[in-house]
Amino acid sequence: MNQDLAKAVQLYCTAPHYELSQYLLGKSKDTLIGMLVDLLTMYINDRNSSTIREFVTVILGGYEHQEQKIGYNGFRQDVAVPGRTIKCQAKPKNITTTASSREKNPSRLNGGGNFTDYTPARLERDASENINMLVSGFIDGKLIYIFEFPSSWEDLVNNLRNQVERWQAKMKGSVSTKGQFLRSATFNYRHFMRCRT
């Protein structure tokens, strides 16, 4: 992070708004552009937050973004049925190619995504709701693709159901499964590649 951006972040978090404004007003146009580019680069490549990648995926997918973290990520009006909305769930993935992020077995874009804290009830709700999946792939913060398909697609649902059932089988014998969930249910391009809708 460049020093100008570091100072701006510090002021934003610790000082009154007018102090940050005064600090930024004293910067040249080129310095402000550099600060904004650095901030966007950091934010879009952040391994712990997919918020901006989710926003880009939803907007470019033709939906209005929902800001809350829980629930669906966007919606749009159904042109075929007046008054009906179509919801979407975004699953963005970013791969970084910088030397510091290279691993022995680096992850690759495979058209995949995951659902965290998954339960049988959530699987059934997702399969029965009329929502579309938006799966996107980024490399170093640059959008490469967006795939859209219904969450009720049979291959996807069967894949997720198999994972939930395996998890439930492992949980047999535990005192209670209430409040317990499958940590991550994953899918990839194989689970929707035959979809033509």
Side-chain angles (χ1 to χ4, degrees):
M1 179 181 303
N2 75 48
Q3 293 305 307
D4 292 319
L5 179 56
K7 178 69 173 176
V9 170
Q10 178 186 345
L11 286 171
Y12 180 87
C13 294
T14 62
H17 180 72
Y18 71 87
E19 282 187 38
L20 174 60
S21 297
Q22 290 301 314
Y23 177 74
L24 294 174
L25 285 171
K27 297 297 175 194
S28 71
K29 180 176 162 184
D30 288 342
T31 299
L32 290 172
I33 290 170
M35 291 169 63
L36 180 59
V37 169
D38 283 357
L39 182 62
L40 287 171
T41 300
M42 279 180 20
Y43 189 29
I44 203 157
N45 287 303
D46 186 350
R47 292 173 61 120
N48 298 316
S49 175
S50 62
T51 304
I52 197 167
R53 294 186 299 272
E54 175 187 292
F55 173 80
V56 168
T57 301
V58 169
I59 295 300
L60 291 178
Y63 294 82
E64 186 170 323
H65 186 248
Q66 295 281 93
E67 291 187 17
Q68 71 265 16
K69 199 67 180 156
I70 305 298
Y72 303 113
N73 303 122
F75 68 94
R76 69 176 176 212
Q77 298 303 313
D78 187 341
V79 293
V81 181
R84 185 175 134 207
T85 47
I86 300 172
K87 299 172 188 168
C88 72
Q89 180 75 39
K91 296 294 179 187
K93 183 165 184 170
N94 186 53
I95 304 296
T96 54
T97 60
T98 58
S100 63
S101 69
R102 285 193 198 122
E103 304 165 0
K104 187 174 183 177
N105 294 316
S107 58
R108 293 185 165 82
L109 293 178
N110 64 0
N114 72 300
F115 295 90
T116 57
D117 306 343
Y118 218 53
T119 63
R122 186 169 165 207
L123 169 64
E124 295 311 316
R125 184 200 71 202
D126 289 349
S128 67
E129 295 258 347
N130 184 26
I131 66 167
N132 286 337
M133 299 294 300
L134 294 176
V135 177
S136 58
F138 294 77
I139 297 178
D140 295 328
K142 298 292 184 188
L143 181 64
I144 305 301
Y145 61 78
I146 299 176
F147 295 119
E148 183 174 10
F149 57 94
S151 64
S152 60
W153 179 248
E154 183 179 2
D155 294 349
L156 175 69
V157 172
N158 288 340
N159 169 61
L160 296 173
R161 185 170 283 123
N162 287 339
Q163 291 176 67
V164 168
E165 287 172 357
R166 283 195 309 269
W167 167 75
Q168 285 181 308
K170 283 184 187 178
M171 296 307 294
K172 293 288 187 218
S174 80
V175 177
S176 170
T177 58
K178 184 175 176 153
Q180 297 176 343
F181 44 79
L182 174 60
R183 182 70 187 124
S184 180
T186 62
F187 66 92
N188 62 46
Y189 183 67
R190 292 176 299 132
H191 302 113
F192 62 86
M193 68 183 189
R194 295 184 311 117
C195 184
R196 297 290 178 253
T197 58

